[in-house]
Amino acid sequence: MTTTLPPEQLTTTLPDHTQLPDSDGTFVKNFQEHPQSILLTDSINPILQNIHPDGYYCIGQDSGIYWRITDPPQRGAEAPDWFYVPNVPPSLNGQMRRSYVLWQEYVAPLIIVEFVSGDGSEERDKTSLWTAEAEGKKPGKFWVYEQVIHPAFYGIYEVEKASIEVYHLIENRFELLPKNERGHYFIPSLNVELGIWQGQYQNVELPWLRWWDSEGNLLLTGNERAEIECQRAETERQRAETEHQRAETERQRAERLAEQLRALGITPED
């Protein structure tokens, strides 16, 4: 005989984000991953604040997404390098999330991005749960994202190849999106594009993963916006200084002319 628990009782028997591990004890794989996450978050924040004036969204950076209960708990989680979830509160009961727990939140991420540090096979692994369990392994990341977590978009970024490929979930299957004329991938619900930008960020020249608006304008970080504003202010200061010097030159010319007129017995006002 099978006993079905009421939803409220079932919810209280499942662990939440405060009871699940928030780390698997491994190192971040390279020094580029952390600034890359910051770059994505910093530049997209103004867009998200406009979409969510109530502030209801969250961004995970190398944070766990729990999708099933296992022993040890980490076997039932994936930790994407970067992901965004719309329409969820930024904190739970006044606490920052230690992880994102699907059976507690119910809302799937809109986009998940993985930063490849090896040959990309881990990020493209489609090994199913049943095959993996028979071999005593975790299921493949690609399979978990596609079949369980269900982000609308899944990006695989390879800095060494200066490339990004983006998949769109259609009828529970990831389909590779085509690039637009700028070589970017359009994310309609955010009205932004995702692509590769070759340039210097935090004193390192690399092919960085970045956002553009729908017209192809690069979305800037806070520091980049501040630098442009500083340059604009300096340009305005120089313009004002030039105008002041022109006015001063004109005033001096008028004074000299007035003196010459007086020397001739002519009143300048006349």
Side-chain angles (χ1 to χ4, degrees):
M1 178 179 178
T2 302
T3 301
T4 302
L5 295 175
E8 62 273 12
Q9 185 174 349
L10 180 60
T11 301
T12 58
T13 59
L14 297 175
D16 63 18
H17 71 110
T18 66
Q19 299 165 311
L20 293 163
D22 58 0
S23 172
D24 61 3
T26 59
F27 294 126
V28 174
K29 298 180 179 64
N30 62 60
F31 278 52
Q32 190 255 347
E33 290 189 7
H34 184 60
Q36 176 62 80
S37 293
I38 295 174
L39 177 55
L40 286 176
T41 300
D42 190 3
S43 56
I44 197 69
N45 261 332
I47 298 293
L48 298 182
Q49 290 168 8
N50 185 58
I51 294 174
H52 306 285
D54 58 0
Y56 267 46
Y57 69 91
C58 74
I59 289 176
Q61 299 175 155
D62 200 30
S63 304
I65 299 178
Y66 280 90
W67 57 278
R68 68 170 184 150
I69 298 176
T70 57
D71 186 18
Q74 292 94 328
R75 289 181 63 86
E78 291 294 342
D81 292 304
W82 193 93
F83 64 92
Y84 151 68
V85 189
N87 304 318
V88 295
S91 61
L92 296 175
N93 300 320
Q95 298 182 48
M96 291 297 293
R97 289 181 181 81
R98 295 179 57 184
S99 55
Y100 191 78
V101 184
L102 282 180
W103 60 77
Q104 185 182 24
E105 307 264 11
Y106 308 114
V107 180
L110 176 75
I111 182 169
I112 286 176
V113 181
E114 288 283 2
F115 309 153
V116 172
S117 56
D119 60 4
S121 58
E122 179 182 351
E123 291 75 18
R124 299 179 177 90
D125 189 351
K126 299 180 181 180
T127 305
S128 70
L129 172 63
W130 304 279
T131 300
E133 286 191 333
E135 299 173 354
K137 302 177 181 178
K138 288 184 64 175
K141 277 189 176 183
F142 194 100
W143 184 90
V144 172
Y145 294 151
E146 179 186 61
Q147 297 299 313
V148 183
I149 297 179
H150 298 310
F153 297 93
Y154 173 42
I156 301 176
Y157 162 59
E158 298 190 68
V159 63
E160 292 186 0
K161 295 182 179 180
S163 70
I164 170 73
E165 57 191 54
V166 177
Y167 296 86
H168 183 29
L169 188 69
I170 301 175
E171 296 183 353
N172 291 332
R173 293 289 179 185
F174 278 145
E175 295 188 9
L176 183 63
L177 284 177
K179 296 179 181 179
N180 64 16
E181 67 277 7
R182 289 183 282 271
H184 303 159
Y185 295 97
F186 183 54
I187 311 298
S189 49
L190 293 174
N191 200 33
V192 298
E193 299 174 358
L194 187 61
I196 300 297
W197 173 79
Q198 182 68 43
Q200 185 171 324
Y201 176 67
Q202 292 195 2
N203 79 327
V204 180
E205 176 83 18
L206 282 175
W208 297 93
L209 183 61
R210 295 201 63 165
W211 307 101
W212 284 259
D213 67 19
S214 58
E215 296 179 354
N217 301 303
L218 186 67
L219 298 187
L220 304 179
T221 66
N223 284 340
E224 288 169 336
R225 292 192 297 273
E227 183 176 345
I228 289 177
E229 185 58 35
C230 183
Q231 291 173 351
R232 183 181 295 112
E234 177 61 19
T235 299
E236 179 62 25
R237 186 194 66 78
Q238 291 176 357
R239 187 201 64 78
E241 179 65 21
T242 299
E243 181 62 24
H244 174 74
Q245 291 175 352
R246 187 199 65 79
E248 179 63 18
T249 299
E250 182 64 21
R251 185 189 64 79
Q252 292 175 358
R253 187 193 69 80
E255 286 183 353
R256 287 195 299 270
L257 178 60
E259 290 176 359
Q260 292 172 357
L261 290 172
R262 292 188 187 98
L264 294 173
I266 302 173
T267 301
E269 290 73 10
D270 296 338

